[in-house]
Structures are given as structure tokens and as C-alpha cells.
Amino acid sequence: MRVFGLNRRIIRVLLGSQYAHMLEYRAEIALWALSGVLPFIMLSVWSGSDARSGLGLDGSALDRYFLSAFLVRQFSVVWVVYAFEEDALLGRLSPYLLQPLHPLWRYVAAHLGEQLTRLPFAALIAAVFFAVQPQAFWVPSLGGFLLAWLATWMAFAIAFLFQSLIAALCFWSEKASALERLQFIPFLFLSGLLAPLTAFPPAVRAVAQWTPFPYLIDFPARVLAGQPVDLLAGFGAQLAWIVLLLPLVLLLWRAGVRRYSAMGA
Amino acid sequence: MIQVEGLSKIYRVAEKQPGLAGTLRHFVRRRTRDVTAVQDVSFRIEPGEMVGFLGANGAGKTTTLKMLCGLIHPSAGEVHVAGHRPQRRQAEFLRRITLVMGQKQQLLWDLPPMDSLRVNAAVYGIPDGVAQRRINELADLLELGEELTRPVRKLSLGQRMKAELLAALLHEPEVLFLDEPTLGLDVNAQARVRQFLAQYNRRTGATVLLTSHYMADITALCPRVLLIHQGRLFHDGPLEVLADQLAPEREVRLELESPVEADALAGLGRLEQLEGCDVRLLVPRDQLTAVVAQLLDRFPVRDLDVTDPPIEELIGGLFRQGRV
């Protein structure tokens, strides 16, 4: 039986092949993992004791927040718009559109394969972090870890759907990735990657909470770091964004396919 | 199996003048124009038929194929393939067709074809045992062996094309849309692919609509041909009728041991070129065997090559002469 076009066999085979595919790019993925150390740079910027207390994250709390932000980012990075744009331009999308499986599942599998490939490199970087900052070491409770894992996956789902929405615009504009670059600036500031949201003025925080950005990094990172956080509100907002984005993506995709003229094919 | 009635496709394309001024004008006021790629095309193809689809570049072949398989929506007209309207792209329809587009590939570049085949088997719901049996059979017909376990990027163009065909046919489609399946392949690989397609058709009774730049593909496989020019269908019928019009002569190239005079070649076809030892003749198809035999008998021949002029040239000539 298929659910959303998938069954266990398709999931297993698709994930297996995409993981094998991504392993071929392991050196590149290691560099991507390394290039995600922005939270550590921001940690050094915020490390003064005044800044720590100003953020309300004393002691090791700030170190743990930024390490968590790094890990959440590692497993919620999305690049579907670039892959999709290239496939559409080179005509590789055509064979995928002619198979009885929604092409977006292939991109989901590619992302999950890439995350699995990234795992050892992210773990290595975290180990180096703890070696340098042993006082920051902590082991989250099993419940806390599972909640953080779920929050990270939901963050990935929001980011994937949001970018798929932009990717579907490739059916109208061949360079939809420019829009993705445009949303990167608010993402950078409002996601919690540069600073925890508590660092921003209340008015900015209030606005940010109506955007998907804080639920991509700040919320899951706080859950992982074991900091006080309103779980119900956080997961509720994540679910709301997924429920809002999913039908939009499917509708835009359907309209886009109607318009598709197999560019470059 | 395929019914097409009054099929048309009109594209809207942007028009831009060259240079900076043209770019600025295009930026401020974008101008577009409608281009008719396919116009009022109608035909029927019965189950099991192999039909050649001919036309020069830009004639509308690929656009028609894309409409037949549901990749693009027609601007007007009706299409039914295997009882379905292709543009709905229902899973049941997609399981019954396949499209092979020259070098556009569905195989994962960095993995062996076997990995992509396993994915296809899962996507089409083919049980593992059945998939393996089909892979073995098709690989045998295509003369593919260890290539299936080598990364696609390490394969030659011909091996890649054969692996693409295998991937496209694993679900045993009833309707094959083949767009230039032998493009860029060497003569041996072309022959192998042709032979394979003929065998596949015989074995499964699949319906095949094939476009090709190579006349040899069409003559070897398709008793019936459709000829499309500037989006309109000009011929639908037996290949022989069109072949006589398309290529009444074949080109014979000779490299002789020593130069000859033009007079010596009189009566051996139309002399197109004579430069020292190199000779090019156009010989009527029905006299080809006799002329080649005479050439070999009368002259010391170092090399001899018989070819069809490129299909583009033939079709272009046909329309220039107003013979269609």
C-alpha cells in the first residue's frame, strides 16, 4: 500500500541509493559541514561576560546554545531549489515527471542521504568543540534528545517546503533561486543563527514569531540545549507552518507542471 | 493505441534585440510572440506498430512526443494514448509508457546503473525477482554485463544509452516514445540498439514511435513513417513511398589506387566530385548493387563507403523541390 505515493520498499531503496550517491561527494559534504561553523564564530563574538548575562545565557548556556544551533543547522540545511533549478534547466526533470512517484520525494531522499553523510563530520566537529570547551559538555536526557530530534526534523520539513515553494516558481522563472537568496538575510537574522532571539528587541521578537525563521534554528536549538522553552507553542507553530506550506507547495507544483515546457529538453 | 486529433501547440517566446539598447528595452518592455510548434496534427497508431517520426530540426517532432507522453499540455486538439489522456499523467498511464530522449538521462551519474534500476523497480512496484529476471533478459539483448555495476560516469556513450534503454523499459511499457535513441552512437552501437528495439517490439508487442536523424534507424525499424514539417503533418504512410522521394539515390564514396578520368565513370551514377583518387557518386537505389559491383570490377579500389545523405538534407531537399 502506498501513502503519498510511497511504501516501505520505495523509501528503503530510494534512501539507500541517495545515501550511496551522497557518499560519492563525502569530501565536498565534509567541507559543507565545516563551512557551517558560523554559530561558533558568533559564540566568540558574544563570549564576553556582559554579553552572556545580557542574553540571559550565563555560564555554559550560551556555548551549548550555539553548539546546538550548529547541529540543528547541519541537519536542516536545504538546497532543493538549486538542485531542482539545475534539473529543470538541463531537462533531467522530464524522466522524473514521467514516473509514478512525485519528483519531490527524490529530493527529500537526497537531503536525507546527505544528512546521513554529514553525520560523522558534524559529530567530529562537536567533539572538537567539547575538547576545546570541556565545561560546555552535556548529555541531554533521552526525552529531551527525542524532542530536539523531532523539532529539528520539523525545522527541516518547514525549510524544505518553503524552498520547494520557491523551487516550483522555476516553472515560471528559470532563475527562481534568486528569491531564495533574498530570503537568506531575514533567515540569518531571525532564525537564531547569529544570536539567540532573546538578543533582539521585543518588537523584533514579536515580528519574528510570525515568521517561520525562529522555528528553523532557535526553537530546536533551545530544546537540544535543554533551555526553558514553551514546547507546546514551539511545536504548534512548527506544525502550523507545515500545514500551511504543504498544500501551497502541492498547488503551486500542480499549476507549474501544467505550464512546464521541459526547458532545455 | 495512440489517437491524435487536431493536435496543436503554440509557445510564447520572448524576443530581444541584441546589444545594450536591446537589453534595456527588453527589461523595460518585454516583447513576446507566439510560435506555432505543432499545428492541427492528426494520426492513429495501432497496437504493436513501429512508426518513424521524421522531420528536420525544429519541425515539431519532440514537442509532439512530449504532448503524447503528457510532459506538456496541448494548446488544442485531443490525444489518447493507451486509453488515457496523457496530460492527466495518472499513475496507471505512466506505468504503461516510456520516453527515451537521446542524451537526457535518468540514471544517477555517480552510481552504477544497477542502483537506478533498483529504484525504478521499487517505483514501478516490480517484485525483486521479476525485476532481476527482466534486467537479465534486457541486459542480454543489449549486451550489457559488468557495465551495470560500473558508475555511469565511467561508461561510454553507447553503454550509457543502452543502460538508459534498460532503465526505461524495465517496467515493460506498452508504448515507447523514442526521441533520437541512437544520437551520437557509433555505427556498431546504433546497429545493436536497432536490433534490440526490433526484438523488444517482437517479444512484447509494444507500440513504438521513433524519431531519428539516421535514415538507417527508420528503414530498419519502421514500415510506416510520419513526416512533419514546420509543425504540420505532410506524410503518413509506408516508408517505401517516402523513401523513394526522400532518398532516391545513395552516396558512394571511393578512394582509388590511382586517379581516373571522369569519362571512365560514365554510366555509373551521377558524378558529384572527382579529386585525384577521391570520387563521390550519387547512384539510384535500385542500381546500387550493380554499380558497386562494376566499380570493384573495373577500378583498383582502396576504400568504398555507401551512405545516405543526412536526413535533414534529404527532407530539406524534398521541401525545396516541392515534392511533398
Side-chain angles (χ1 to χ4, degrees), chain B residues 60-286:
Chain B
K61 304 186 298 287
T62 303
T63 301
T64 305
L65 283 192
K66 285 179 183 172
M67 286 191 281
L68 293 184
C69 66
L71 261 185
I72 56 176
H73 290 228
S75 305
E78 282 291 321
V79 184
H80 287 92
V81 176
H84 293 264
R85 293 184 67 196
Q87 60 264 43
R88 290 187 182 157
R89 301 190 320 112
Q90 292 156 308
E92 184 50 37
F93 166 70
L94 298 178
R95 284 196 179 88
R96 298 177 69 181
I97 64 142
T98 199
L99 170 70
V100 176
M101 295 181 76
Q103 313 298 327
K104 301 292 186 309
Q105 56 173 20
Q106 57 167 306
L107 299 174
L108 290 164
W109 183 249
D110 294 297
L111 295 182
M114 209 58 181
D115 284 283
S116 299
L117 294 174
R118 288 184 66 230
V119 172
N120 279 16
V123 166
Y124 285 99
I126 308 165
D128 283 334
V130 177
Q132 193 53 55
R133 181 175 52 75
R134 285 187 195 165
I135 290 170
N136 293 343
E137 283 171 11
L138 292 168
D140 197 36
L141 286 173
L142 284 161
E143 292 180 352
L144 283 170
E146 58 161 19
E147 292 87 353
L148 293 180
T149 51
R150 255 192 273 153
V152 172
R153 64 168 188 273
K154 302 269 186 194
L155 301 180
S156 71
L157 187 63
Q159 290 166 337
R160 275 210 306 272
M161 193 61 231
K162 289 195 279 186
E164 280 291 331
L165 271 172
L166 205 167
L169 300 178
L170 186 62
H171 59 291
E172 287 204 340
E174 295 162 53
V175 186
L176 277 58
F177 298 110
L178 306 174
D179 193 15
E180 305 284 0
T182 57
L183 189 66
L185 305 189
D186 65 37
V187 178
N188 290 334
Q190 281 177 28
R192 168 50 56 191
V193 168
R194 258 179 239 136
Q195 199 183 347
F196 166 76
L197 291 172
Q199 282 171 318
Y200 184 85
N201 169 257
R202 271 198 303 276
R203 195 166 62 88
T204 65
T207 308
V208 180
L209 184 56
L210 164 87
T211 80
S212 179
H213 265 71
Y214 303 115
M215 194 62 188
D217 285 349
I218 306 292
T219 50
L221 295 171
C222 307
R224 174 185 164 197
V225 289
L226 305 172
L227 174 63
I228 191 168
H229 183 66
Q230 293 179 346
R232 285 179 178 277
L233 194 63
F234 276 87
H235 174 87
D236 177 358
L239 172 65
E240 298 79 37
V241 176
L242 190 64
D244 285 345
Q245 290 179 302
L246 265 180
E249 294 168 325
R250 300 201 76 191
E251 189 177 89
V252 178
R253 287 174 181 270
L254 289 167
E255 188 186 337
L256 304 173
E257 296 283 351
S258 53
V260 292
E261 294 297 321
D263 293 347
L265 295 161
L268 295 171
R270 185 148 47 93
L271 183 61
E272 284 287 296
Q273 187 190 339
L274 176 59
E275 281 177 15
C277 297
D278 294 325
V279 181
R280 192 157 73 91
L281 294 161
L282 290 178
V283 181
R285 277 178 182 273
D286 55 354

Side-chain angles (χ1 to χ4, degrees), chain A residues 54-76:
Chain A
L55 293 171
L57 294 169
D58 283 328
S60 296
L62 190 68
D63 308 57
R64 289 174 185 170
Y65 172 81
F66 275 115
L67 176 66
S68 299
F70 165 76
L71 290 172
V72 168
R73 177 68 176 151
Q74 288 299 306
F75 297 102
S76 60

Side-chain angles (χ1 to χ4, degrees), chain A residues 18-263:
Chain A
Q18 288 296 344
Y19 179 52
H21 195 221
M22 288 300 162
L23 278 178
E24 294 291 316
Y25 294 95
R26 54 194 176 276
E28 193 180 332
I29 290 171
L31 292 175
W32 286 351
L34 204 59
S35 71
V37 296
L38 178 67
F40 300 137
I41 296 168
M42 295 317 296
L43 174 62
S44 66
V45 171
W46 289 103
S47 270
S49 56
D50 289 349
R52 280 176 190 260
S53 56
L55 293 171
L57 294 169
D58 283 328
S60 296
L62 190 68
D63 308 57
R64 289 174 185 170
Y65 172 81
F66 275 115
L67 176 66
S68 299
F70 165 76
L71 290 172
V72 168
R73 177 68 176 151
Q74 288 299 306
F75 297 102
S76 60
V77 170
V78 171
W79 33 268
V80 61
V81 69
Y82 302 103
F84 181 82
E85 192 174 272
E86 191 181 311
D87 286 348
L89 282 171
L90 297 178
R92 282 198 297 249
L93 195 58
S94 299
Y96 296 154
L97 282 170
L98 292 180
Q99 291 194 349
L101 178 72
H102 200 298
L104 280 178
W105 285 125
R106 288 179 186 274
Y107 296 107
V108 171
H111 279 73
L112 296 179
E114 194 250 359
Q115 286 176 14
L116 210 54
T117 313
R118 213 178 252 260
L119 182 64
F121 304 117
L124 189 66
I125 293 170
V128 170
F129 177 84
F130 286 133
V132 176
Q133 305 260 54
Q135 75 285 357
F137 184 77
W138 90 106
V139 178
S141 66
L142 181 63
F145 176 76
L146 290 177
L147 283 174
W149 192 34
L150 179 64
T152 304
W153 268 49
M154 287 176 81
F156 166 69
I158 296 170
F160 187 87
L161 288 170
F162 194 65
Q163 221 181 76
S164 298
L165 202 63
I166 297 172
L169 294 174
C170 286
F171 288 121
W172 285 269
S173 163
E174 288 162 27
K175 284 288 172 191
S177 60
L179 275 174
E180 155 63 17
R181 291 190 194 101
L182 192 67
Q183 68 86 41
F184 187 69
I185 299 297
F187 164 78
L188 208 55
F189 281 93
L190 301 180
S191 66
L193 210 54
L194 295 183
L197 271 193
T198 47
F200 291 94
V204 176
R205 282 210 301 269
V207 171
Q209 274 163 2
W210 289 98
T211 72
F213 303 119
Y215 309 102
L216 298 179
I217 302 286
D218 187 86
F219 170 66
R222 281 176 182 279
V223 176
L224 183 61
Q227 290 170 7
V229 61
D230 186 342
L231 287 174
L232 200 62
F235 279 115
Q238 284 191 317
L239 192 63
W241 276 107
I242 291 170
V243 169
L244 177 75
L245 288 169
L246 184 61
L248 281 179
V249 170
L250 295 178
L251 278 174
L252 198 66
W253 180 275
R254 192 175 295 177
V257 169
R258 281 184 66 86
R259 200 184 178 281
Y260 183 57
S261 59
M263 292 163 284

